[in-house]
Amino acid sequence: MLFIVKENHDISSLLEKIRMASASYKVVDIYGKRIVIAWPDNLVENIEDISIDAKIRVRKPYYLVSNEWKSGKTIVNVGGVEIGGSRIVVAAGPCAVEDEDILMEIAKAVKRAGASILRGGAYKPRTSPYSFQGLGEKGLKILKRVSEAVGLPVVTEVMDTRDVELVKSYADMIQIGARNSQNFTLLREVGRAKIPVLLKRGFGMTVEEWLLAAEYILSEGNGDVVLCERGIRTFEKSTRFTIDIGGMVIAKMQTHLPIAADPSHPAGNRDLVEPLALAAIVAGADMLIVEVHANPSKALSDSEQQLTVEMFEKLMKRLKAVAEAIGRSI
């Protein structure tokens, strides 16, 4: 049960009534409102209090993420770039930050082609401990310098709760990768950090589990979350992962949060990135995150799926045409 509190009203009486009902509660300040979440519903459904502006019984287990209580879609602002409106946002850049000159070249190229956000990993979760793990803080500093020089806000991944404040000091948006999407301690920490979050779907997660992961972030008062479909693991081996367009659509129907798609990781092959990206746009994605490299064959990670600059330019032209056809823009 959600109790929406009247502006500037004391909630001590309401909380006491919830405690007297032997129910649990959490107070969250989000989207300019104070909300008291109380559960289970049957213990609190009859509670009335002068501080209550509205009482909403949400049928989904993800109370704040659900669109049952919030009218209208949430717009997430990332360094002046709005995600969730009629304009589709494209974030592009290398899988990993490798070198400042290389990143500068890529950043200028993707901006010319129409990208609005620069992506690049300073910390890289790799299957093998012997694979390139990223440059760490050095990579963050490079991202910041290139971001300021080119004029693109930055999204980059955080893997450890101990690094959240450090990454926040350099980035405009924090990414939670697939492997950490159910790291609940990390989710709570980025929720408290009050910075826009790109939450990728874990490759073994149901849509409900994905939305509940987002609930951890929102329950700490951070409503600036973009959900990112990046492919799930199935029996199919012809692609790296299976991009779940249907799951992405279901998520968009269930929540007020913007939805993104990552066509690069499920493709695992640069020739497949374009059709997957186009499909995601037609299905309603509000954002795309695409891996681009000046020389993919020499990239230190994910070389097979990173687009060349020329391929990205071609992709952007087609994306713009498809977006216009469905009444949106890029």
Side-chain angles (χ1 to χ4, degrees), residues 42-270:
N42 65 299
L43 296 182
V44 297
E45 58 189 352
N46 295 321
I47 289 179
E48 300 294 341
D49 191 82
I50 193 172
S51 66
I52 299 173
D53 186 45
K55 187 166 60 173
I56 303 170
R57 186 167 190 164
V58 179
R59 292 166 293 178
K60 304 293 191 302
Y62 34 88
Y63 298 106
L64 298 173
V65 168
S66 171
N67 56 15
E68 292 183 52
W69 76 276
K70 186 176 184 292
S71 60
K73 289 290 184 179
T74 292
I75 305 296
V76 176
N77 189 306
V78 179
V81 177
E82 294 188 340
I83 304 169
S86 61
R87 180 184 173 222
I88 298 164
V89 172
V90 177
C95 173
V97 178
E98 304 166 351
D99 173 87
E100 186 162 347
D101 291 338
I102 293 173
L103 183 63
M104 186 71 75
E105 179 184 353
I106 297 169
K108 290 178 178 178
V110 298
K111 184 178 182 180
R112 282 196 306 269
S116 302
I117 297 175
L118 176 65
R119 61 140 297 149
Y123 298 93
K124 297 302 300 177
R126 308 300 302 280
T127 302
S128 169
Y130 310 115
S131 299
F132 177 62
Q133 305 290 311
L135 298 178
E137 187 174 3
K138 178 182 177 183
L140 292 174
K141 291 178 178 179
I142 291 173
L143 273 170
K144 185 69 172 180
R145 288 194 294 268
V146 172
S147 166
E148 292 176 344
V150 177
L152 289 176
V154 163
V155 56
T156 192
E157 185 167 352
V158 67
M159 295 169 51
D160 194 312
T161 56
R162 294 168 295 183
D163 296 325
V164 170
E165 287 302 315
L166 176 66
V167 175
K168 178 183 175 181
S169 67
Y170 290 103
D172 301 282
M173 185 181 212
I174 286 180
Q175 174 183 308
I176 300 293
R179 290 173 174 82
N180 273 311
S181 53
Q182 285 187 302
N183 181 339
F184 302 122
T185 303
L186 182 59
L187 295 175
R188 289 189 189 279
E189 191 67 27
V190 298
R192 289 189 285 265
K194 302 296 190 293
I195 182 173
V197 178
L198 182 72
L199 175 63
K200 288 198 170 184
R201 180 183 179 185
F203 41 73
M205 291 171 70
T206 65
V207 171
E208 183 173 284
E209 289 169 337
W210 182 22
L211 298 180
L212 281 168
E215 187 77 8
Y216 272 87
I217 301 172
L218 269 70
S219 69
E220 296 299 327
N222 186 354
D224 290 328
V225 175
V226 178
L227 299 163
C228 185
E229 165 61 36
R230 50 80 69 207
I232 56 176
R233 181 167 285 163
T234 68
F235 58 82
E236 183 55 63
K237 293 185 177 181
S238 60
T239 53
R240 187 177 180 186
F241 296 99
T242 299
I243 189 166
D244 185 9
I245 296 294
M248 187 189 80
V249 173
I250 292 295
K252 186 160 187 173
M253 293 170 63
Q254 300 293 331
T255 181
H256 54 86
L257 298 173
I259 303 291
D262 170 0
S264 300
H265 280 87
N269 178 336
R270 66 181 59 89

Side-chain angles (χ1 to χ4, degrees), residues 277-289:
L278 294 172
I281 290 298
V282 173
D286 301 299
M287 175 183 179
L288 288 178
I289 180 164

